Amino acid sequence: MAKRSIKQHEQPMMAALRAEHRHIANVMALFGDQLDAIEKGQLVDTHVVYETIDYMVRWPDRFHHPREDILYARAAELDTELADSVDSLQREHDDTARRGRELLESIERWREGTVPGANVVKRGREYIKNSHRHMNAEEKLVFPQIEALLKESDWIEFERQDRLKPYADPVFGTRVDRDFRNLARKLRLGVKHGIERGVMTEWVSLDALIESYEVFSIAYESTRSITQDHLKAAWYDSVDIVKDTPFTAMFRCGLNNTRLSARWLGEVVGVSKDALDDLSRVNQERKDQIRILKREGY
């Protein structure tokens, strides 16, 4: 009974790391679909291909892996037999970051036309394979040992460390980062990029319609999140102003709200512009797909 209760009590930090692994696996699955399409000479959204690895470089490599390293170091202190496994995984984190930067550079050059698609496909598949192997080793070997070794006092101490606090995920978090909106849209749709033989023109048009809806959905969620953040900022600023300078609070609050409103408007205009750009891209992709279908006799 004791073992069962321990298993059911998953520390929030470990639950977060496992959830991040699922997110990474979803991104890698989408990236794999893109690589298949590139290899077959099919139409792909180069923005999505780029954003996939840009996300890996800018989020897991900067926030997910360093948090794991801190846990690994503490576990190795408690059990010296873990030292070799931990050292290997930490070196793999560094190696993954290096491979990610190199792959991102290859994708950039491929988009410019100076590197063949075969280069991206080869590097990309190696990256996916290594990512899955690494996460499997962590979840099957190291995570269970960490959970068995660390005591409640260790987790309480970890809670106080800023470096271990979860950071908002720019794709799977409450607000999608503008740099990753194409990636987020494709992940939501779960649509394989590339045109398979036998796909009908009507399906392509329907797919474009659904994707257009996702563009509006992401833009709406971003606008709502931006508005909520600004309303909170206005409220907290107003409270502080009233406390500090009650006699001039009305005038200062008015100036502050004007400043925040201008910033809010600028961010909303940016989201709107991005949405229009994305709609134009979706429409162009639909036209390209239909043109290829007609060329192949469908």
Side-chain angles (χ1 to χ4, degrees), residues 203-215:
W203 186 91
V204 171
S205 298
L206 178 60
D207 181 37
L209 178 63
I210 296 173
E211 194 160 356
S212 297
Y213 170 79
E214 287 297 332
V215 170

Side-chain angles (χ1 to χ4, degrees), residues 13 16-21 23-24 54-72 93-94 96-97 101 127 134 138 143 161-173 177 180:
M13 196 176 300
L17 292 176
R18 287 188 171 100
E20 288 163 8
H21 278 185
H23 295 160
I24 292 170
D54 191 30
Y55 166 80
M56 294 296 296
V57 169
R58 288 170 55 181
W59 199 82
D61 287 345
R62 290 179 59 193
F63 300 112
H64 174 78
H65 294 152
R67 285 158 61 219
E68 289 179 328
D69 288 340
I70 293 173
L71 293 179
Y72 295 167
H93 285 165
D94 294 336
T96 297
R101 291 191 298 269
Y127 186 87
H134 176 83
E138 289 178 322
F143 282 10
Q161 296 189 33
D162 288 338
R163 288 187 300 167
L164 280 168
K165 290 180 179 177
Y167 291 84
D169 191 300
V171 172
F172 298 94
D177 190 294
F180 301 112

Side-chain angles (χ1 to χ4, degrees), residues 150-206:
L150 298 185
K151 300 176 182 178
E152 193 65 30
S153 57
D154 292 311
W155 295 111
I156 293 173
E157 181 62 29
F158 284 143
E159 292 285 340
R160 298 173 184 156
Q161 296 189 33
D162 288 338
R163 288 187 300 167
L164 280 168
K165 290 180 179 177
Y167 291 84
D169 191 300
V171 172
F172 298 94
T174 54
R175 183 196 295 185
V176 174
D177 190 294
R178 289 169 65 181
D179 290 342
F180 301 112
R181 60 191 187 275
N182 298 294
L183 171 60
R185 193 171 69 246
K186 294 301 182 187
L187 286 167
R188 287 188 185 194
L189 289 169
V191 174
K192 288 186 177 181
H193 251 276
I195 302 172
E196 298 179 2
R197 299 186 67 83
V199 175
M200 302 299 294
T201 301
E202 290 81 1
W203 186 91
V204 171
S205 298
L206 178 60

Side-chain angles (χ1 to χ4, degrees), residues 3-175:
K3 286 185 178 179
R4 189 175 300 171
S5 62
I6 290 173
K7 237 179 181 181
Q8 289 175 348
H9 180 61
E10 185 179 30
Q11 289 292 334
M13 196 176 300
M14 297 305 300
L17 292 176
R18 287 188 171 100
E20 288 163 8
H21 278 185
R22 292 193 295 272
H23 295 160
I24 292 170
N26 288 335
V27 171
M28 290 294 93
L30 177 62
F31 185 50
D33 291 339
Q34 308 301 302
L35 297 180
D36 290 344
I38 293 172
E39 186 175 49
K40 296 173 183 176
Q42 296 172 344
L43 183 69
V44 295
D45 188 334
T46 63
H47 294 272
V48 173
V49 177
Y50 178 84
E51 287 176 22
T52 300
I53 301 304
D54 191 30
Y55 166 80
M56 294 296 296
V57 169
R58 288 170 55 181
W59 199 82
D61 287 345
R62 290 179 59 193
F63 300 112
H64 174 78
H65 294 152
R67 285 158 61 219
E68 289 179 328
D69 288 340
I70 293 173
L71 293 179
Y72 295 167
R74 177 56 179 156
E77 289 176 4
L78 298 173
D79 185 352
T80 55
E81 292 183 3
L82 264 179
D84 288 341
S85 297
V86 163
D87 182 62
S88 176
L89 289 173
Q90 289 175 325
R91 281 189 281 106
E92 284 182 10
H93 285 165
D94 294 336
D95 186 59
T96 297
R98 177 185 59 79
R99 286 173 179 267
R101 291 191 298 269
E102 291 175 354
L103 177 55
L104 190 63
E105 182 180 349
S106 292
I107 292 172
E108 287 181 303
R109 294 173 63 192
W110 165 67
R111 294 177 76 192
E112 294 168 356
T114 58
V115 162
N119 179 284
V120 172
V121 171
K122 181 181 178 182
R123 284 177 175 265
R125 285 183 175 153
E126 289 175 354
Y127 186 87
I128 293 172
K129 181 180 178 181
N130 288 332
S131 295
H132 283 300
R133 180 183 52 76
H134 176 83
M135 289 191 294
N136 286 336
E138 289 178 322
E139 297 216 10
K140 292 179 180 179
L141 301 175
V142 181
F143 282 10
Q145 290 176 288
I146 287 175
E147 290 170 316
L149 282 170
L150 298 185
K151 300 176 182 178
E152 193 65 30
S153 57
D154 292 311
W155 295 111
I156 293 173
E157 181 62 29
F158 284 143
E159 292 285 340
R160 298 173 184 156
Q161 296 189 33
D162 288 338
R163 288 187 300 167
L164 280 168
K165 290 180 179 177
Y167 291 84
D169 191 300
V171 172
F172 298 94
T174 54
R175 183 196 295 185

